[in-house]
Amino acid sequence: MLKDFYNYFIPRFDWIPSSKPSHPHPELAGKLLQRNEIHVPEEQLKYLIQQSVLTEVDAIERFVWGYRCRRCGNRKHDLFAKMPHANCGKECVYCRHCIQLGRVMDCEPLYYGSSSLQWPEYNCPCQWEGELSHHQEKAAAEIKKIIHHGKGELLVWAVCGAGKTEMLYPGLTLALEKGKRICLATPRVDVVRELYPRFQKAFHDVKIQALYGDSDEKRGDASFLVATTHQLYRYAHAFDVIIIDEVDAFPYHNDPTLHFASKRAAKPDASIIYLTATPRKKFKRRIKSGNLPSVFIPRRFHGHPLPVPTLKMMYNLPSYSKRNLLPPAILNTIRRQQSTNRQLLLFFPSIKKAEETARTLSTRGYQVKSVHSEDPDRERKILQFRNKEYRILVTTTILERGVTFPSVDVYVIDAGHEVFDEAALVQIAGRAGRSPEDPDGEVIFFHSGKTNALLDAVDHIRDMNRLADRS
């Protein structure tokens, strides 16, 4: 009942003319834009509207029960406000939820770009020469099937390091050969930066674009987009295939407007594929009830088990943490680790502690840097770490998922902190042992008291290893 109610109130665009525009503009196709995002003179804008290339739609809809933002779907009363508008001189309503994309006001329309363009049909677009494992082939076949038939959902539940990206290649090949438009969206910017060059290498003759907040590319006029989920606020009925990677990650899993945006960005007959190593309860319930088809891959692509974390109790961790210091036992463990051939990922629950620890380790002569969500230089630092220009990378949960380093050990400091839920800890542990040349990375969770999240994460990893042994 609630689902029907929600679907009824989702802003739809079915009524918009769908005839093929006489002057197609790929940069507008399937877009939902403000006037200042359409870089054409006023006369040309009127012409595009006349030709059904663009259609005006209300930016803020009014109902008896309140307002709804046409761009992000927000309906929360406290996330709307009023302010005088310079042009109309009235007190106008605007949406605070998606204001980072530009203020949407009820006195200014949004413009919807017709999505009925013919995208290129590529002949043999995939140049990847690797081979899929038996388990990967199983998932790849299901992905191809849903893309071939269209109009459906599929959850791919695959452990960290199972090779989810490679599983997509056969399905993506089929979609591109059929002239379908694709968007792979993920909640994390760092995952976009990780995946984009991999797709470019595998499909080097295909026009692929990466879209995120500060990306160089802004047009979004390619038939294959790799984007953050927030970029989907700007699309409506645009894609034949939508893949949501890391579907359990923050902020996607607990933000209903991002779920709304991903559904709206899909065409009515689109294929929607969810990828995750740690599905949330909502998806597990849908699988159990039979209304979400799924495929389960419990084994890593190289066949080795997931590294099981070691729990190490540190009674003095809180007192040292207050002073932004590490207990001597942890420092000794780091010193011993540095005598190995592996690099080290150190995870902390806060930016301040990560930066302070990096400075402390640097004064002790270690090759170390820190990265976090507010670091403007994080892309370069991550690349340097991947190129082994230094040994230790201190980070927050921004690197918990979607990034691959060939040979690392992973330590989580204060792993019982509320920031580290079960999914985060499983994903963090999954950074280790990803290479077939070095599948046995060490994972240590340092804590001052066991939590349910800690115990559940270890149980989860052991369960996956048991299931892999049986498969």
Side-chain angles (χ1 to χ4, degrees), residues 143 152-158 164 242-247 252 259 262-263 272-276 282-283 286 292-293 295:
I143 293 169
E153 294 178 293
L154 175 69
L155 175 73
V156 178
W157 179 355
K164 291 188 289 293
I242 286 190
I243 302 164
I244 309 293
D245 192 16
E246 307 294 353
V247 71
Y252 183 85
H259 290 256
S262 63
K263 290 288 182 67
I272 302 178
I273 300 163
Y274 306 107
L275 306 179
T276 180
K282 182 186 80 170
F283 282 101
R286 290 188 62 194
L292 178 62
V295 58

Side-chain angles (χ1 to χ4, degrees), residues 210-463:
L211 296 179
Y212 49 92
D214 56 352
S215 60
D216 295 332
E217 176 57 55
K218 300 297 182 186
R219 287 173 62 85
D221 58 353
S223 57
F224 186 177
L225 301 181
V226 184
T228 55
T229 49
H230 281 83
Q231 292 296 320
L232 297 180
Y233 286 143
R234 291 193 170 100
Y235 288 89
H237 295 188
F239 301 103
D240 302 288
V241 178
I242 286 190
I243 302 164
I244 309 293
D245 192 16
E246 307 294 353
V247 71
D248 62 293
F250 176 86
Y252 183 85
H253 81 89
N254 62 353
D255 187 341
T257 68
L258 289 174
H259 290 256
F260 156 83
S262 63
K263 290 288 182 67
R264 186 191 59 193
K267 292 180 179 179
D269 58 350
S271 307
I272 302 178
I273 300 163
Y274 306 107
L275 306 179
T276 180
T278 49
R280 301 283 175 169
K281 290 180 180 179
K282 182 186 80 170
F283 282 101
K284 289 181 179 179
R285 284 195 297 267
R286 290 188 62 194
I287 293 171
K288 190 173 182 179
S289 67
N291 70 357
L292 178 62
S294 65
V295 58
F296 177 52
I297 310 298
R299 184 184 291 273
R300 287 186 153 185
F301 79 95
H302 51 52
H304 295 269
L306 296 159
V308 179
T310 300
L311 303 186
K312 287 197 175 181
M313 179 73 175
M314 295 281 144
Y315 292 101
N316 57 357
L317 184 58
S319 61
Y320 276 89
S321 182
K322 287 179 181 178
R323 292 174 285 162
N324 294 313
L325 298 173
L326 289 178
I330 295 180
L331 289 172
N332 287 336
T333 304
I334 292 172
R335 178 176 54 79
R336 287 195 297 271
Q337 191 279 336
Q338 289 297 282
S339 65
T340 70
N341 293 325
R342 297 190 187 111
Q343 293 172 283
L344 177 62
L345 278 173
L346 273 179
F347 284 85
F348 281 82
S350 72
I351 293 174
K352 182 178 180 182
K353 286 181 171 56
E355 291 183 329
E356 288 289 342
T357 300
R359 281 193 283 269
T360 299
L361 294 176
S362 180
T363 60
R364 289 173 173 262
Y366 292 109
Q367 298 173 329
V368 57
K369 291 187 180 179
S370 66
V371 291
H372 50 78
S373 60
E374 298 174 10
D375 187 348
D377 205 24
R378 77 190 202 205
E379 185 177 4
R380 183 178 64 86
K381 290 179 180 178
I382 293 169
L383 180 61
Q384 288 177 330
F385 186 70
R386 182 172 284 114
N387 292 337
K388 297 186 177 182
E389 295 180 27
Y390 54 94
R391 295 291 311 279
I392 303 175
L393 182 58
V394 186
T395 183
T396 58
T397 55
I398 63 161
L399 294 187
E400 75 181 32
R401 60 182 71 224
V403 292
T404 298
F405 304 107
S407 184
V408 295
D409 290 328
V410 177
Y411 298 168
V412 182
I413 312 300
D414 196 8
H417 193 282
E418 61 184 4
V419 165
F420 300 116
D421 62 10
E422 176 192 347
L425 290 169
V426 171
Q427 292 281 359
I428 288 170
R431 299 312 99 203
R434 297 176 74 90
S435 169
E437 287 76 31
D438 185 13
D440 303 315
E442 182 181 47
V443 180
I444 303 177
F445 292 165
F446 294 96
H447 64 94
S448 59
K450 292 179 181 177
T451 63
N452 288 336
L454 269 174
L455 298 174
D456 290 344
V458 175
D459 287 344
H460 178 110
I461 292 169
R462 284 178 173 153
D463 286 344

